[in-house]
Amino acid sequence: HKSVCRVRRDEQWAELNTADLVPGDVVAVEDGMEIMCDGCVLQGEAVVDESSLTGEAKPVRKLALKDDAIPYDVAGAGKTYSVFAGTRVLQSQAQRLGSGEPETQILVMRTRTATDKGELIQRILFPTQYSFVFDEQLRVALVILLAYGGFGFAVTIWLMGHDVTSWFYGVFVISQVISPLLPAALVVGQSVAADRLRRKQIYCVDLPRIMMAGKVQVFCFDKTGTLTKEGLEFLAVQPTVPSQPIPEFGAEEADLALLSDVAQLGFASCHAVAAVGGQLIGNPVDVEQFRATGWTLQPSDEHVDTLVSPFAADGQQRVAHVLKRFEFVHARQSMSVAVQDAATGDVHVFVKGSFERLRHMAAPGSIPADYDAVAARWAREGCYVLALAHKNLGAAKEVVRLSREHMESGCSLVGLLLFRNKLKDDTAQAITELRAGDTRTVMITGDSALTAVFIARQCGMVGAAVRVVLGDMEGNGDGDGDARRLVWRDTADDRLVADNLGDIDRALSQEHTELAVTAAAFSHLVSSSAVRKLLFSIRVFARMTPLGKAECVRLHMERAVTGMCGDGGNDCGALRAAHVGLALSESEASIVSPFSSSSRSIGSCVTLLREGRAGLATSFAAYKFLINYAMTMSMLEITQFYFSVIVPQAVWILIDSFIAVGLCIAVTQAQTARTLAPSRPTARLIGSHTLASIWGQTAINYAFLFGLIGLLFAQGWFRCHEFDSRDIDTSLWWILGDNYESELISIVCLFQFVNAAAVYNFGYRYRRSWITNYSLAVLYSAFVAVISALVLANPNRFSCMFRINCGNPDVLVDLGYARPTWHITPYNSPIGHNVLPHSFRWTLWALCITNTILCLVYEKLVVLGPVGRRAKQWWATRKGDRKLKLNL
């Protein structure tokens, strides 16, 4: 994409093509322009649409980079000041500069493929490679197949002689063992699953991750906007009221007009909401808070914002000007504003943040004695709790130069701001299905621990009878003997449970006990290397920053295949880090994760896992079908070479062009199971489960083929020496099939080729019943009918095309059949035919059907059924079960 923009380079403004931008350029921002680089806002403000990257349809406000001590981090606190390639400017704002320079300017930091959008395109074109047991064992499986093909090659040379023709036959054996369809079979399950996911509004930019989705053991969730609904509902404010010796909490108040003037001004101004085209944009909590006040935003060229109250006092509305704002930073869990009351000229500072953070920031004398109990009570009831503090600077000047530390110190508590956080309608059902599907669910949220525990109980992540013990850091750490230490308390009654790891281990040994930790406790556990020991006992991670979420996901990934689901906002680091990241996004390709769901439903996680498991099982079914095809084909070829015969040309065409290709495609069309099974499909190409299936089928097929050959040789009408291929040029392969040996080999192996698809089409937990795979059911029935007709029917036009149960016209007449009216190429056999007696035809057909049934029974009862499960349990008991045990 190319366009023209105004650029300052070498202290000169000029119009340049966006394709020529380089880091260090300064670009003038105009309304409606598309940004073609990653950068940061140097001055002014801009409202941009980032939906093409994150899928978030809401406009995002970008502010000028501030001169403070907080390091610029584009993935963390600096995101508020950063713009990204592919976004569109909806509105730009700035103070008048009076210098003729553009009002809003951005500094170019990354261009082309180095931008976030460039990385998205690269991720789509070149997916990230993860170490997956499926891929690791693929090389070993190919080496084994190549070795087997080499064995077949050597046997062919030995049987056929050492001429050039035998070398061609040997290479043919190798090409059949290592089928050209094998690479496609290993990935076709991914493609089929991706198409099904797309129809369910789940989009994938990295197909190999679908296979990993089939092995997810732990699924992590953000809370707000993911487990709970997008918006928060304003509930009430619980203000402080003057009292001696310290203030007390008053009654909660839902009507903000009844609050004090200071409280009204604080709740109306302490936010980062902007108005674009009559629409309020910003953090959903801030927007809900501002709407509850009833105040309005007015355009201003001299101040950050101008606010007008709806409540008329003496016939005039209150007007306030925001002079300075420090945006919310996850590391501080707070934001602050300096506001001038236009009526009095006084400057008020308001600080808003988490109730835990404000507990330590506000002046101690302004904190009610029951502050912790009241805030915890609201949190336990599932409320999103914020606190507001205030101080009056009087007629202060030079407010713009105030540092953040100076502004936010010495404030007095104003009250608590309460919001309701409601679950999505399908969250509880989705969590129940995931747990039933042997998947551990974990919450990683920036909200308070008690609110998170409440939501975890509501959605079923934590059972009603389960005790949740919260780990947090207590103490001031000021060096006066009150060092900060990790303390574990019961979330139900705040009772002390443990103050050391030994005690918490004993608490966990009791039934129905789960852990929750705050970000401070998590950091302590990480630094003390104790986090890995407790990781899979912790259900809720609270007050986590975006970087903390990513670190938490990486720790889970060390021992389990881990998924992460978030709304694509501050979860992007964790979504990128996870093996399987699902962004609840409205775009088809999200920059933050390999999967995105425009339905924004937690049910998408269940769908993703179901399709991932079905895709993995389908790929393995196609893989085993082709390996079975290779085993049967090599058996067919080595057997025919032993007898110096070759099956007829039409049989080769039927096998390679119709049976192999048609059934391989049909196997991949198996329908996904309707529910998550309490286990995951194997991902081991050479695991015991896979090998037992392949070698068991091969042994049964070998036994029936050799047994039927022996039965043929035992027949009184069979004369094995009537045809001697040593008298014929072996390069003329198409004339070596007019005999009983090649006919019987063809019939038996045709049944075995077709039956392999039915054997590996069993649903077995991850796919539906084989009968719902209509394409395979139709093809299987058709092929069985065709082959049965070839075996049982008298000589006819169709059977003569395959050189089965046919012969020279005169010979057929001598055998009692009508003279054929179609052309028959003369038989290359002294007896001139290969028509089997009726009784032997039925015996052969019955034994082939027995072969088919026995293979089906072996796969259903031994490999997939009770025999296989008991063998697995016996082995685990004897050698020890190394499978990771998870508390679901």
Side-chain angles (χ1 to χ4, degrees):
H1 180 83
K2 295 181 179 180
S3 58
V4 176
C5 61
R6 290 187 64 198
V7 179
R8 188 177 70 188
R9 183 183 294 176
D10 299 329
E11 303 300 326
Q12 298 292 326
W13 286 97
E15 290 192 351
L16 293 179
N17 196 307
T18 53
D20 298 326
L21 292 175
V22 296
D25 287 341
V26 177
V27 178
V29 177
E30 300 175 357
D31 293 356
M33 74 178 290
E34 185 173 354
I35 298 173
M36 302 307 298
C37 63
D38 287 359
C40 62
V41 181
L42 290 181
Q43 61 185 33
E45 295 181 6
V47 177
V48 299
D49 177 6
E50 294 183 342
S51 59
S52 63
L53 298 181
T54 65
E56 291 294 316
K58 300 175 182 178
V60 181
R61 190 179 188 182
K62 300 296 183 178
L63 306 173
L65 190 63
K66 298 191 182 301
D67 183 14
D68 55 26
I70 300 176
Y72 175 76
D73 177 16
V74 67
K79 195 171 183 180
T80 306
Y81 318 117
S82 304
V83 293
F84 303 97
T87 60
R88 187 167 59 90
V89 178
L90 302 177
Q91 179 178 305
S92 58
Q93 300 173 341
Q95 299 179 14
R96 296 292 180 184
L97 302 178
S99 61
E101 289 196 349
E103 296 177 349
T104 305
Q105 303 175 13
I106 60 174
L107 174 66
V108 177
M109 301 179 66
R110 294 179 295 186
T111 61
R112 300 176 180 265
T113 56
T115 64
D116 274 9
K117 185 172 185 179
E119 291 180 0
L120 171 63
I121 301 301
Q122 291 183 80
R123 190 180 302 119
I124 295 173
L125 297 177
F126 311 104
T128 303
Q129 298 298 318
Y130 273 88
S131 178
F132 191 36
V133 65
F134 180 90
D135 302 307
E136 293 173 355
Q137 293 192 350
L138 177 58
R139 301 179 182 89
V140 180
L142 292 177
V143 169
I144 294 174
L145 287 176
L146 186 60
Y148 183 77
F151 169 77
F153 178 86
V155 172
T156 302
I157 299 297
W158 176 60
L159 292 174
M160 300 290 290
H162 298 277
D163 57 4
V164 175
T165 303
S166 64
W167 281 78
F168 276 106
Y169 283 131
V171 172
F172 185 59
V173 171
I174 295 176
S175 68
Q176 293 292 344
V177 171
I178 306 178
S179 172
L181 292 174
L182 192 58
L186 293 173
V187 298
V188 70
Q190 303 171 19
S191 302
V192 173
D195 183 62
R196 290 174 178 168
L197 287 171
R198 189 180 302 110
R199 292 199 294 266
K200 296 173 182 176
Q201 298 180 310
I202 302 174
Y203 306 98
C204 176
V205 297
D206 190 351
L207 288 184
R209 300 290 186 99
I210 295 177
M211 305 290 274
M212 301 197 79
K215 296 295 289 183
V216 167
Q217 298 163 282
V218 177
F219 221 124
C220 304
F221 293 92
D222 177 40
K223 182 182 73 69
T224 307
T226 303
L227 296 172
T228 61
K229 293 181 179 179
E230 290 291 323
L232 296 172
E233 296 180 6
F234 171 74
L235 177 63
V237 169
Q238 185 156 19
T240 58
V241 294
S243 179
Q244 294 297 329
I246 57 175
E248 297 178 349
F249 276 119
E252 57 268 20
E253 181 58 67
D255 187 354
L256 298 187
L258 302 179
L259 299 176
S260 65
D261 289 346
V262 168
Q264 289 183 38
L265 181 60
F267 290 122
S269 61
C270 197
H271 54 75
V273 176
V276 177
Q279 178 185 1
L280 296 178
I281 65 168
N283 184 288
V285 177
D286 284 351
V287 172
E288 184 70 12
Q289 168 193 324
F290 183 67
R291 282 178 177 157
T293 65
W295 288 50
T296 56
L297 282 166
Q298 297 292 337
S300 174
D301 295 332
E302 298 179 357
H303 307 100
V304 176
D305 277 322
T306 294
L307 304 157
V308 179
S309 134
F311 316 119
D314 299 331
Q316 294 185 348
Q317 293 176 305
R318 293 183 64 188
V319 178
H321 305 294
V322 179
L323 306 180
K324 187 177 182 67
R325 178 190 294 122
F326 287 105
E327 284 72 29
F328 179 83
V329 176
H330 284 282
R332 300 178 65 93
Q333 296 184 9
S334 65
M335 69 164 295
S336 56
V337 293
V339 185
Q340 184 180 46
D341 190 332
T344 63
D346 288 350
V347 175
H348 300 265
V349 171
F350 294 98
V351 182
K352 183 180 72 175
S354 68
F355 67 86
E356 300 99 329
R357 179 65 175 171
L358 267 290
R359 174 72 171 81
H360 300 288
M361 293 178 66
S366 68
I367 303 295
D370 58 349
Y371 178 89
D372 293 332
V374 172
R377 174 173 62 84
W378 286 115
R380 286 192 185 95
E381 293 179 9
C383 287
Y384 187 84
V385 185
L386 297 174
L388 182 74
H390 160 264
K391 68 178 177 180
N392 190 341
L393 300 181
K397 298 181 180 180
E398 303 296 334
V399 174
V400 176
R401 296 185 179 181
L402 289 177
S403 67
R404 183 164 194 158
E405 286 69 21
H406 185 273
M407 273 185 58
E408 296 182 355
S409 62
C411 295
S412 299
L413 186 71
V414 173
L416 300 177
L417 184 60
L418 309 173
F419 298 89
R420 280 291 183 199
N421 209 192
K422 293 186 177 180
L423 281 179
K424 291 180 179 178
D425 295 335
D426 63 342
T427 295
Q429 179 183 352
I431 296 298
T432 300
E433 291 184 29
L434 288 172
R435 297 183 67 182
D438 194 32
T439 305
R440 176 175 170 81
T441 54
V442 174
M443 186 189 301
I444 310 177
T445 178
D447 204 347
S448 70
L450 295 177
T451 302
V453 170
F454 175 84
I455 295 298
R457 289 191 187 278
Q458 262 199 325
C459 70
M461 195 176 288
V462 175
V466 173
R467 178 179 68 160
V468 179
V469 179
L470 173 62
D472 197 5
M473 301 301 293
E474 295 186 4
N476 297 323
D478 55 8
D480 296 331
D482 192 15
R484 287 177 65 77
R485 60 196 179 104
L486 178 58
V487 173
W488 302 88
R489 296 183 180 276
D490 194 319
T491 56
D493 53 16
D494 205 35
R495 178 175 53 84
L496 180 65
V497 175
D499 58 2
N500 60 72
L501 292 179
D503 289 343
I504 198 60
D505 285 340
R506 283 188 288 274
L508 285 173
S509 64
Q510 303 175 13
E511 288 190 36
H512 308 304
T513 300
E514 299 262 22
L515 300 183
V517 295
T518 63
F522 175 75
S523 298
H524 175 78
L525 290 172
V526 170
S527 62
S528 63
S529 301
V531 67
R532 290 174 177 82
K533 180 180 179 181
L534 298 176
L535 187 64
F536 289 100
S537 297
I538 302 174
R539 183 71 66 177
V540 174
F541 299 82
R543 291 301 185 199
M544 300 292 283
T545 64
L547 293 178
K549 290 183 178 183
E551 185 177 9
C552 182
V553 167
R554 291 191 187 98
L555 286 169
H556 281 90
M557 291 170 64
E558 292 179 2
R559 296 181 60 194
V561 180
T562 304
M564 174 68 193
C565 181
D567 57 9
N570 58 10
D571 310 311
C572 61
L575 289 168
R576 286 179 178 178
H579 290 121
V580 178
L582 174 62
L584 302 184
S585 160
E586 295 183 359
S587 65
E588 293 191 9
S590 173
I591 194 172
V592 299
S593 69
F595 296 96
S596 57
S597 170
S598 58
S599 68
R600 307 183 74 88
S601 165
I602 297 300
S604 300
C605 300
V606 180
T607 301
L608 176 58
L609 264 58
R610 285 196 298 109
E611 293 294 348
R613 294 181 181 185
L616 185 57
T618 296
S619 290
F620 264 74
Y623 164 79
K624 290 191 288 187
F625 169 74
L626 288 176
I627 297 299
N628 192 293
Y629 164 86
M631 296 294 103
T632 306
M633 181 61 77
S634 63
M635 176 179 64
L636 178 152
E637 290 173 343
I638 292 175
T639 304
Q640 70 178 4
F641 293 155
Y642 176 79
F643 292 107
S644 296
V645 300
I646 293 183
V647 300
Q649 184 179 17
V651 174
W652 288 115
I653 295 174
L654 176 63
I655 293 173
D656 287 337
S657 299
F658 295 94
I659 293 178
V661 176
L663 291 180
C664 186
I665 294 174
V667 164
T668 65
Q669 304 306 307
Q671 299 296 311
T672 307
R674 290 185 173 88
T675 59
L676 274 180
S679 63
R680 286 166 289 275
T682 181
R684 298 182 178 275
L685 292 174
I686 54 175
S688 58
H689 186 276
T690 306
L691 293 179
S693 176
I694 292 174
W695 289 115
Q697 300 291 334
T698 301
I700 294 172
N701 289 339
Y702 269 55
F704 270 88
L705 177 61
F706 297 147
L708 286 169
I709 291 175
L711 180 64
L712 175 67
F713 273 70
Q715 302 304 307
W717 47 263
F718 174 75
R719 291 177 294 174
C720 65
H721 298 296
E722 289 293 336
F723 175 78
D724 189 350
S725 64
R726 290 175 295 181
D727 298 331
I728 300 176
D729 185 354
T730 55
S731 65
L732 305 177
W733 64 270
W734 56 89
I735 67 173
L736 303 178
D738 296 337
N739 48 78
Y740 288 121
E741 294 94 331
S742 66
E743 180 181 32
L744 183 135
I745 294 171
S746 299
I747 291 171
V748 175
C749 290
L750 280 173
F751 272 108
Q752 292 176 353
F753 280 127
V754 173
N755 193 52
V759 166
Y760 298 124
N761 188 53
F762 282 125
Y764 188 58
R765 300 183 179 181
Y766 316 113
R767 299 177 296 168
R768 294 185 206 171
S769 172
W770 66 272
I771 197 64
T772 61
N773 187 347
Y774 304 118
S775 57
L776 182 60
V778 170
L779 283 177
Y780 178 77
S781 301
F783 283 134
V784 169
V786 166
I787 300 169
S788 297
L790 288 176
V791 178
L792 300 174
N794 289 329
N796 57 77
R797 185 188 300 271
F798 185 68
S799 66
C800 288
M801 181 177 66
F802 285 89
R803 313 289 281 187
I804 293 176
N805 278 330
C806 192
N808 294 327
D810 292 339
V811 176
L812 293 179
V813 171
D814 293 340
L815 293 174
Y817 299 105
R819 179 175 293 275
T821 58
W822 57 91
H823 173 73
I824 298 176
T825 303
Y827 261 59
N828 296 285
S829 169
I831 61 175
H833 76 93
N834 61 357
V835 179
L836 298 171
H838 284 88
S839 60
F840 188 81
R841 291 184 215 169
W842 282 99
T843 300
L844 175 61
W845 180 83
L847 289 173
C848 288
I849 296 300
T850 303
N851 182 6
T852 296
I853 295 173
L854 190 58
C855 286
L856 293 171
V857 170
Y858 172 80
E859 186 73 14
K860 186 69 174 179
L861 298 183
V862 177
V863 177
L864 305 178
V867 177
R869 288 195 293 270
R870 289 184 180 179
K872 189 175 181 180
Q873 293 170 359
W874 173 82
W875 182 261
T877 303
R878 183 179 180 184
K879 296 295 184 179
D881 191 357
R882 298 180 181 179
K883 182 180 178 181
L884 177 64
K885 299 294 185 181
L886 295 175
N887 178 15
L888 302 179

